Amino acid sequence: MKIKNLALGLALLGSFTYAHTFKLADTIKSMPKSQEFNKMCHSYEKYVNYITPDELKKWMDEDKDFTIVDVRSVDEMKGGEIDWADYDEYPLGMVPIYAAMGAFKPNTVYVFLCASGHRAVIAGGQLVKWFGIPKKNVYVLRGGINGWLNTGYSVVNKVTEFGGFKGLKAVEKPKEPIILDQF
């Protein structure tokens, strides 16, 4: 019995150690399903418009009326968010649920973002395809939060370790290109 428990413990320790030697993005890219995910992203591209980080910053400077919709996970949001008053956080799987409950209005302009833009395309595309939000009102931030940071714009940290609001804390501009671990 002790040998079985020892073997199981070593196997779990080994798999834990092995799993933490790779970034999630590397793991996902090597999975066969990543091709399916990329196909899904491309199938939704026709339903959305793109906006560059510079164009979004210009909209912000002009105080244009729009809502940023962040579809990253709560853990990813801990890394920082774009400082904009009308900022909603709906992880990707929750977007259709909130849309069905009426959270998205047809006359509102939405800018979707995630880490790199993949999940944002799916979320924005779902609004247009499934819920009738006009394409002219749905944008995806090209390059996601990575593109925003790599362009030199800053983010704020609004989320505590446990997901609660703790106020704004400025995060300095990156000194080198940033790539987050997820899509």
Side-chain angles (χ1 to χ4, degrees), residues 47-62:
Y47 297 105
V48 300
N49 301 293
Y50 285 94
I51 186 168
T52 66
D54 289 330
E55 291 167 332
L56 180 59
K57 179 67 169 118
K58 183 178 177 188
W59 280 14
M60 293 168 74
D61 292 343
E62 294 171 351

Side-chain angles (χ1 to χ4, degrees), residues 117-159:
H118 294 88
R119 289 173 289 175
V121 168
I122 293 170
Q126 288 173 342
L127 275 192
V128 174
K129 183 178 181 180
W130 298 355
F131 297 98
I133 303 296
K135 177 183 175 177
K136 69 178 183 157
N137 291 343
V138 177
Y139 291 82
V140 171
L141 179 60
R142 193 171 292 283
I145 200 80
N146 289 328
W148 178 262
L149 289 167
N150 289 331
T151 304
Y153 299 120
S154 62
V155 295
V156 294
N157 186 347
K158 299 187 215 177
V159 184

Side-chain angles (χ1 to χ4, degrees), residues 14-162:
S15 63
F16 178 80
T17 304
Y18 178 77
H20 285 81
T21 61
F22 297 99
K23 291 183 178 179
L24 180 59
D26 295 335
T27 309
I28 291 172
K29 287 177 186 170
S30 67
M31 294 170 58
K33 292 193 176 201
S34 66
Q35 290 178 348
E36 292 173 28
F37 182 76
N38 285 333
K39 283 182 185 176
M40 185 186 333
C41 293
H42 290 302
S43 72
Y44 281 107
E45 280 185 314
K46 63 185 171 193
Y47 297 105
V48 300
N49 301 293
Y50 285 94
I51 186 168
T52 66
D54 289 330
E55 291 167 332
L56 180 59
K57 179 67 169 118
K58 183 178 177 188
W59 280 14
M60 293 168 74
D61 292 343
E62 294 171 351
D63 202 26
K64 185 171 175 164
D65 187 20
F66 65 93
T67 299
I68 293 177
V69 181
D70 192 336
V71 299
R72 296 177 295 157
S73 70
V74 173
D75 285 339
E76 290 176 286
M77 291 178 202
K78 291 178 190 174
E81 302 173 1
I82 296 173
D83 190 12
W84 186 246
D86 201 355
Y87 197 100
D88 292 333
E89 300 160 344
Y90 301 128
L92 177 59
M94 300 302 292
V95 170
I97 294 168
Y98 280 98
M101 294 183 339
F104 296 95
K105 307 298 179 206
N107 295 327
T108 302
V109 174
Y110 297 100
V111 176
F112 284 84
L113 69 90
C114 60
S116 65
H118 294 88
R119 289 173 289 175
V121 168
I122 293 170
Q126 288 173 342
L127 275 192
V128 174
K129 183 178 181 180
W130 298 355
F131 297 98
I133 303 296
K135 177 183 175 177
K136 69 178 183 157
N137 291 343
V138 177
Y139 291 82
V140 171
L141 179 60
R142 193 171 292 283
I145 200 80
N146 289 328
W148 178 262
L149 289 167
N150 289 331
T151 304
Y153 299 120
S154 62
V155 295
V156 294
N157 186 347
K158 299 187 215 177
V159 184
T160 67
E161 198 171 311
F162 303 103

